[in-house]
Amino acid sequence: MSRPTGRVLTLLELLQSGGTRTVAELAERLGVEGRTVRRYVGHLLDLDVPVESVRGRYGGYRLAPGYRLPPLMLSDDEALAVLLGLIAGRRTGLTTELTASETASAKIRRVLPRHTAGRLDALLESLAFTDRPGDLDTPDAAVLLTLADAVRHRRPVSIRYTDRAGQGSERTLHAYGIVAHSGRWYVTGQDARIGEDRTFRLDRITDARALPGSFEAPAGPDPAQRMLSGFATAEYRHEVTLRIQGTVDQIRAHLPAGVAHLEEHEPAADQDRTGERWLRVELRVERLDWLPAVLASLDRPFVIERPNELRDLVVALAERLASRARAHHA
């Protein structure tokens, strides 16, 4: 690469680092005179790189938004950070278009210096994920960006949504926020037709368009907390009520906010007898078979208020464990 061409690329990298750079600063960094800096800026403009001239005492040059993405200069550490973000996003399902993620990764890897590519390969070989990759559907990028704009400007948005039963509908949503949770994207807000808060999976939204007007976001919990509370109180086959003796942290380690609702429950008799706090725990679940093992792993005193079926499952698990322990001892 000739020295002038290399300096033009260095100029682009300096401008991409942000802010306004004076001619004197750029000339010093590039080792050239001010008029040469202006010539290099002209080269970037010829390449349709949107460089703006800023007048005044603290004027100089800065990079402006353009109609297309200009050549992007990344340091080795920045390139590694971008690649790791793409890999982690693809692994957890938090990407928009899997093909775009793969092609972006391939483009960056092709131009990495050999020693940097070797560092990345070493990291990927030693990297493990605790979750298993799933066949998760990713949201449409246009839908995601439209909803984000609606959240920022508090504009109603019309969405076409398909629920888990395969039923399609068109709704008007006052979107409060977008939430990434357990490998999926969600939008939470008020369904304007029924006047109630709802949470929608983005990969089930096939179209989104902004509507005229505006709305006021409600005070109270942030979008993530609203969504988790909605999950914990959603309609499922079984309603479970427990009383568990322990701290919030002890219970939340096994029954997170997206699964269970907690509230303090301290009858005077219980408090006098134990001196410890009891919490009421409410869940709505499709199946009960996983709960006995969770309650056992809590290793805290608990009372099952409902349903009786869960009590029977817990007793059955206890009997199986006792039977196996006796057999092993014998």
Side-chain angles (χ1 to χ4, degrees), residues 236-258:
Y236 288 98
R237 184 177 303 172
H238 301 283
E239 294 187 0
V240 177
T241 304
L242 311 165
R243 284 188 291 119
I244 302 176
Q245 189 181 49
T247 67
V248 171
D249 289 342
Q250 288 171 333
I251 298 171
R252 281 290 183 228
H254 299 268
L255 296 169

PDB file of all heavy atoms in Angstrom, residues 236-258:
ATOM      1  N   TYR A 236     -52.125 -20.435  32.652  1.00  0.00           N
ATOM      2  CA  TYR A 236     -51.623 -21.768  32.339  1.00  0.00           C
ATOM      3  C   TYR A 236     -52.550 -22.802  32.974  1.00  0.00           C
ATOM      4  O   TYR A 236     -53.488 -22.470  33.694  1.00  0.00           O
ATOM      5  CB  TYR A 236     -50.185 -21.941  32.841  1.00  0.00           C
ATOM      6  CG  TYR A 236     -49.164 -21.162  32.050  1.00  0.00           C
ATOM      7  CD1 TYR A 236     -48.712 -19.923  32.500  1.00  0.00           C
ATOM      8  CD2 TYR A 236     -48.658 -21.653  30.858  1.00  0.00           C
ATOM      9  CE1 TYR A 236     -47.770 -19.200  31.767  1.00  0.00           C
ATOM     10  CE2 TYR A 236     -47.717 -20.938  30.120  1.00  0.00           C
ATOM     11  CZ  TYR A 236     -47.285 -19.718  30.591  1.00  0.00           C
ATOM     12  OH  TYR A 236     -46.368 -19.015  29.870  1.00  0.00           O
ATOM     13  N   ARG A 237     -52.246 -24.063  32.749  1.00  0.00           N
ATOM     14  CA  ARG A 237     -53.123 -25.144  33.196  1.00  0.00           C
ATOM     15  C   ARG A 237     -53.228 -25.236  34.718  1.00  0.00           C
ATOM     16  O   ARG A 237     -54.293 -25.474  35.267  1.00  0.00           O
ATOM     17  CB  ARG A 237     -52.615 -26.464  32.633  1.00  0.00           C
ATOM     18  CG  ARG A 237     -53.512 -27.661  32.949  1.00  0.00           C
ATOM     19  CD  ARG A 237     -52.968 -28.912  32.301  1.00  0.00           C
ATOM     20  NE  ARG A 237     -52.843 -28.724  30.858  1.00  0.00           N
ATOM     21  CZ  ARG A 237     -52.244 -29.591  30.042  1.00  0.00           C
ATOM     22  NH1 ARG A 237     -51.683 -30.690  30.538  1.00  0.00           N
ATOM     23  NH2 ARG A 237     -52.183 -29.359  28.747  1.00  0.00           N
ATOM     24  N   HIS A 238     -52.114 -25.028  35.420  1.00  0.00           N
ATOM     25  CA  HIS A 238     -52.096 -25.211  36.875  1.00  0.00           C
ATOM     26  C   HIS A 238     -51.754 -23.902  37.583  1.00  0.00           C
ATOM     27  O   HIS A 238     -50.837 -23.192  37.171  1.00  0.00           O
ATOM     28  CB  HIS A 238     -51.067 -26.264  37.281  1.00  0.00           C
ATOM     29  CG  HIS A 238     -51.294 -27.606  36.666  1.00  0.00           C
ATOM     30  ND1 HIS A 238     -52.266 -28.479  37.112  1.00  0.00           N
ATOM     31  CD2 HIS A 238     -50.666 -28.221  35.626  1.00  0.00           C
ATOM     32  CE1 HIS A 238     -52.226 -29.578  36.382  1.00  0.00           C
ATOM     33  NE2 HIS A 238     -51.275 -29.453  35.475  1.00  0.00           N
ATOM     34  N   GLU A 239     -52.486 -23.605  38.643  1.00  0.00           N
ATOM     35  CA  GLU A 239     -52.152 -22.488  39.523  1.00  0.00           C
ATOM     36  C   GLU A 239     -51.585 -23.069  40.812  1.00  0.00           C
ATOM     37  O   GLU A 239     -52.235 -23.865  41.491  1.00  0.00           O
ATOM     38  CB  GLU A 239     -53.389 -21.638  39.808  1.00  0.00           C
ATOM     39  CG  GLU A 239     -53.923 -20.923  38.578  1.00  0.00           C
ATOM     40  CD  GLU A 239     -55.039 -19.949  38.916  1.00  0.00           C
ATOM     41  OE1 GLU A 239     -55.386 -19.848  40.120  1.00  0.00           O
ATOM     42  OE2 GLU A 239     -55.551 -19.297  38.001  1.00  0.00           O
ATOM     43  N   VAL A 240     -50.363 -22.668  41.140  1.00  0.00           N
ATOM     44  CA  VAL A 240     -49.647 -23.236  42.282  1.00  0.00           C
ATOM     45  C   VAL A 240     -49.434 -22.145  43.321  1.00  0.00           C
ATOM     46  O   VAL A 240     -49.002 -21.036  42.995  1.00  0.00           O
ATOM     47  CB  VAL A 240     -48.281 -23.807  41.847  1.00  0.00           C
ATOM     48  CG1 VAL A 240     -47.508 -24.339  43.053  1.00  0.00           C
ATOM     49  CG2 VAL A 240     -48.467 -24.893  40.802  1.00  0.00           C
ATOM     50  N   THR A 241     -49.742 -22.444  44.564  1.00  0.00           N
ATOM     51  CA  THR A 241     -49.476 -21.532  45.674  1.00  0.00           C
ATOM     52  C   THR A 241     -48.673 -22.277  46.729  1.00  0.00           C
ATOM     53  O   THR A 241     -49.074 -23.356  47.179  1.00  0.00           O
ATOM     54  CB  THR A 241     -50.774 -20.996  46.299  1.00  0.00           C
ATOM     55  OG1 THR A 241     -51.571 -20.377  45.279  1.00  0.00           O
ATOM     56  CG2 THR A 241     -50.468 -19.976  47.378  1.00  0.00           C
ATOM     57  N   LEU A 242     -47.539 -21.685  47.112  1.00  0.00           N
ATOM     58  CA  LEU A 242     -46.641 -22.277  48.097  1.00  0.00           C
ATOM     59  C   LEU A 242     -46.343 -21.253  49.182  1.00  0.00           C
ATOM     60  O   LEU A 242     -46.483 -20.044  48.965  1.00  0.00           O
ATOM     61  CB  LEU A 242     -45.312 -22.698  47.452  1.00  0.00           C
ATOM     62  CG  LEU A 242     -45.350 -23.517  46.172  1.00  0.00           C
ATOM     63  CD1 LEU A 242     -43.977 -23.512  45.519  1.00  0.00           C
ATOM     64  CD2 LEU A 242     -45.779 -24.948  46.493  1.00  0.00           C
ATOM     65  N   ARG A 243     -45.904 -21.735  50.335  1.00  0.00           N
ATOM     66  CA  ARG A 243     -45.263 -20.887  51.332  1.00  0.00           C
ATOM     67  C   ARG A 243     -43.883 -21.472  51.576  1.00  0.00           C
ATOM     68  O   ARG A 243     -43.753 -22.657  51.869  1.00  0.00           O
ATOM     69  CB  ARG A 243     -46.071 -20.828  52.630  1.00  0.00           C
ATOM     70  CG  ARG A 243     -47.295 -19.950  52.536  1.00  0.00           C
ATOM     71  CD  ARG A 243     -47.971 -19.737  53.880  1.00  0.00           C
ATOM     72  NE  ARG A 243     -48.594 -20.960  54.377  1.00  0.00           N
ATOM     73  CZ  ARG A 243     -48.263 -21.558  55.525  1.00  0.00           C
ATOM     74  NH1 ARG A 243     -47.295 -21.051  56.274  1.00  0.00           N
ATOM     75  NH2 ARG A 243     -48.880 -22.645  55.914  1.00  0.00           N
ATOM     76  N   ILE A 244     -42.865 -20.640  51.422  1.00  0.00           N
ATOM     77  CA  ILE A 244     -41.487 -21.103  51.551  1.00  0.00           C
ATOM     78  C   ILE A 244     -40.776 -20.228  52.568  1.00  0.00           C
ATOM     79  O   ILE A 244     -40.871 -18.999  52.533  1.00  0.00           O
ATOM     80  CB  ILE A 244     -40.735 -21.038  50.198  1.00  0.00           C
ATOM     81  CG1 ILE A 244     -41.467 -21.897  49.153  1.00  0.00           C
ATOM     82  CG2 ILE A 244     -39.288 -21.505  50.367  1.00  0.00           C
ATOM     83  CD1 ILE A 244     -40.851 -21.824  47.767  1.00  0.00           C
ATOM     84  N   GLN A 245     -40.057 -20.881  53.475  1.00  0.00           N
ATOM     85  CA  GLN A 245     -39.300 -20.163  54.498  1.00  0.00           C
ATOM     86  C   GLN A 245     -37.881 -19.919  53.986  1.00  0.00           C
ATOM     87  O   GLN A 245     -37.144 -20.858  53.694  1.00  0.00           O
ATOM     88  CB  GLN A 245     -39.249 -20.983  55.784  1.00  0.00           C
ATOM     89  CG  GLN A 245     -38.661 -20.240  56.972  1.00  0.00           C
ATOM     90  CD  GLN A 245     -38.608 -21.120  58.198  1.00  0.00           C
ATOM     91  OE1 GLN A 245     -38.131 -22.246  58.135  1.00  0.00           O
ATOM     92  NE2 GLN A 245     -39.117 -20.621  59.320  1.00  0.00           N
ATOM     93  N   GLY A 246     -37.509 -18.647  53.843  1.00  0.00           N
ATOM     94  CA  GLY A 246     -36.185 -18.327  53.337  1.00  0.00           C
ATOM     95  C   GLY A 246     -36.130 -16.902  52.848  1.00  0.00           C
ATOM     96  O   GLY A 246     -37.079 -16.126  52.991  1.00  0.00           O
ATOM     97  N   THR A 247     -35.020 -16.543  52.230  1.00  0.00           N
ATOM     98  CA  THR A 247     -34.840 -15.193  51.710  1.00  0.00           C
ATOM     99  C   THR A 247     -35.297 -15.132  50.257  1.00  0.00           C
ATOM    100  O   THR A 247     -35.411 -16.158  49.576  1.00  0.00           O
ATOM    101  CB  THR A 247     -33.365 -14.767  51.793  1.00  0.00           C
ATOM    102  OG1 THR A 247     -32.595 -15.579  50.882  1.00  0.00           O
ATOM    103  CG2 THR A 247     -32.822 -14.932  53.207  1.00  0.00           C
ATOM    104  N   VAL A 248     -35.514 -13.910  49.780  1.00  0.00           N
ATOM    105  CA  VAL A 248     -35.891 -13.721  48.384  1.00  0.00           C
ATOM    106  C   VAL A 248     -34.810 -14.262  47.458  1.00  0.00           C
ATOM    107  O   VAL A 248     -35.093 -14.927  46.460  1.00  0.00           O
ATOM    108  CB  VAL A 248     -36.144 -12.225  48.094  1.00  0.00           C
ATOM    109  CG1 VAL A 248     -36.325 -11.982  46.596  1.00  0.00           C
ATOM    110  CG2 VAL A 248     -37.373 -11.737  48.864  1.00  0.00           C
ATOM    111  N   ASP A 249     -33.539 -14.000  47.798  1.00  0.00           N
ATOM    112  CA  ASP A 249     -32.434 -14.464  46.952  1.00  0.00           C
ATOM    113  C   ASP A 249     -32.386 -15.984  46.881  1.00  0.00           C
ATOM    114  O   ASP A 249     -32.124 -16.560  45.816  1.00  0.00           O
ATOM    115  CB  ASP A 249     -31.096 -13.927  47.465  1.00  0.00           C
ATOM    116  CG  ASP A 249     -30.932 -12.434  47.228  1.00  0.00           C
ATOM    117  OD1 ASP A 249     -31.679 -11.891  46.384  1.00  0.00           O
ATOM    118  OD2 ASP A 249     -30.081 -11.817  47.881  1.00  0.00           O
ATOM    119  N   GLN A 250     -32.616 -16.650  48.011  1.00  0.00           N
ATOM    120  CA  GLN A 250     -32.607 -18.118  48.017  1.00  0.00           C
ATOM    121  C   GLN A 250     -33.688 -18.687  47.103  1.00  0.00           C
ATOM    122  O   GLN A 250     -33.453 -19.645  46.364  1.00  0.00           O
ATOM    123  CB  GLN A 250     -32.810 -18.637  49.450  1.00  0.00           C
ATOM    124  CG  GLN A 250     -31.608 -18.444  50.356  1.00  0.00           C
ATOM    125  CD  GLN A 250     -31.927 -18.765  51.810  1.00  0.00           C
ATOM    126  OE1 GLN A 250     -33.088 -18.649  52.249  1.00  0.00           O
ATOM    127  NE2 GLN A 250     -30.924 -19.169  52.566  1.00  0.00           N
ATOM    128  N   ILE A 251     -34.852 -18.071  47.126  1.00  0.00           N
ATOM    129  CA  ILE A 251     -35.965 -18.573  46.311  1.00  0.00           C
ATOM    130  C   ILE A 251     -35.773 -18.195  44.848  1.00  0.00           C
ATOM    131  O   ILE A 251     -35.981 -19.011  43.947  1.00  0.00           O
ATOM    132  CB  ILE A 251     -37.298 -18.033  46.860  1.00  0.00           C
ATOM    133  CG1 ILE A 251     -37.524 -18.545  48.296  1.00  0.00           C
ATOM    134  CG2 ILE A 251     -38.464 -18.440  45.959  1.00  0.00           C
ATOM    135  CD1 ILE A 251     -38.697 -17.910  48.998  1.00  0.00           C
ATOM    136  N   ARG A 252     -35.341 -16.950  44.608  1.00  0.00           N
ATOM    137  CA  ARG A 252     -35.165 -16.496  43.229  1.00  0.00           C
ATOM    138  C   ARG A 252     -34.079 -17.287  42.496  1.00  0.00           C
ATOM    139  O   ARG A 252     -34.092 -17.382  41.267  1.00  0.00           O
ATOM    140  CB  ARG A 252     -34.805 -15.010  43.213  1.00  0.00           C
ATOM    141  CG  ARG A 252     -36.009 -14.088  43.419  1.00  0.00           C
ATOM    142  CD  ARG A 252     -36.903 -14.131  42.209  1.00  0.00           C
ATOM    143  NE  ARG A 252     -38.037 -13.225  42.316  1.00  0.00           N
ATOM    144  CZ  ARG A 252     -39.277 -13.568  42.061  1.00  0.00           C
ATOM    145  NH1 ARG A 252     -39.560 -14.819  41.702  1.00  0.00           N
ATOM    146  NH2 ARG A 252     -40.264 -12.696  42.139  1.00  0.00           N
ATOM    147  N   ALA A 253     -33.129 -17.861  43.228  1.00  0.00           N
ATOM    148  CA  ALA A 253     -32.080 -18.660  42.587  1.00  0.00           C
ATOM    149  C   ALA A 253     -32.658 -19.878  41.890  1.00  0.00           C
ATOM    150  O   ALA A 253     -32.069 -20.408  40.945  1.00  0.00           O
ATOM    151  CB  ALA A 253     -31.052 -19.096  43.626  1.00  0.00           C
ATOM    152  N   HIS A 254     -33.842 -20.330  42.327  1.00  0.00           N
ATOM    153  CA  HIS A 254     -34.470 -21.510  41.733  1.00  0.00           C
ATOM    154  C   HIS A 254     -35.787 -21.192  41.030  1.00  0.00           C
ATOM    155  O   HIS A 254     -36.199 -21.926  40.124  1.00  0.00           O
ATOM    156  CB  HIS A 254     -34.729 -22.560  42.832  1.00  0.00           C
ATOM    157  CG  HIS A 254     -33.493 -23.040  43.517  1.00  0.00           C
ATOM    158  ND1 HIS A 254     -32.791 -24.146  43.089  1.00  0.00           N
ATOM    159  CD2 HIS A 254     -32.811 -22.557  44.583  1.00  0.00           C
ATOM    160  CE1 HIS A 254     -31.740 -24.331  43.874  1.00  0.00           C
ATOM    161  NE2 HIS A 254     -31.725 -23.379  44.793  1.00  0.00           N
ATOM    162  N   LEU A 255     -36.429 -20.103  41.438  1.00  0.00           N
ATOM    163  CA  LEU A 255     -37.704 -19.697  40.844  1.00  0.00           C
ATOM    164  C   LEU A 255     -37.616 -18.217  40.471  1.00  0.00           C
ATOM    165  O   LEU A 255     -38.009 -17.345  41.248  1.00  0.00           O
ATOM    166  CB  LEU A 255     -38.852 -19.928  41.834  1.00  0.00           C
ATOM    167  CG  LEU A 255     -39.119 -21.394  42.214  1.00  0.00           C
ATOM    168  CD1 LEU A 255     -40.075 -21.472  43.393  1.00  0.00           C
ATOM    169  CD2 LEU A 255     -39.687 -22.160  41.020  1.00  0.00           C
ATOM    170  N   PRO A 256     -37.048 -17.892  39.285  1.00  0.00           N
ATOM    171  CA  PRO A 256     -36.828 -16.492  38.904  1.00  0.00           C
ATOM    172  C   PRO A 256     -38.127 -15.731  38.685  1.00  0.00           C
ATOM    173  O   PRO A 256     -39.228 -16.313  38.650  1.00  0.00           O
ATOM    174  CB  PRO A 256     -36.012 -16.606  37.616  1.00  0.00           C
ATOM    175  CG  PRO A 256     -36.298 -17.969  37.091  1.00  0.00           C
ATOM    176  CD  PRO A 256     -36.549 -18.840  38.275  1.00  0.00           C
ATOM    177  N   ALA A 257     -37.977 -14.423  38.493  1.00  0.00           N
ATOM    178  CA  ALA A 257     -39.149 -13.545  38.404  1.00  0.00           C
ATOM    179  C   ALA A 257     -40.043 -13.876  37.225  1.00  0.00           C
ATOM    180  O   ALA A 257     -41.250 -13.631  37.270  1.00  0.00           O
ATOM    181  CB  ALA A 257     -38.684 -12.085  38.314  1.00  0.00           C
ATOM    182  N   GLY A 258     -39.492 -14.418  36.154  1.00  0.00           N
ATOM    183  CA  GLY A 258     -40.315 -14.778  35.012  1.00  0.00           C
ATOM    184  C   GLY A 258     -41.147 -16.026  35.245  1.00  0.00           C
ATOM    185  O   GLY A 258     -42.000 -16.361  34.425  1.00  0.00           O
TER     186      GLY A 258
END
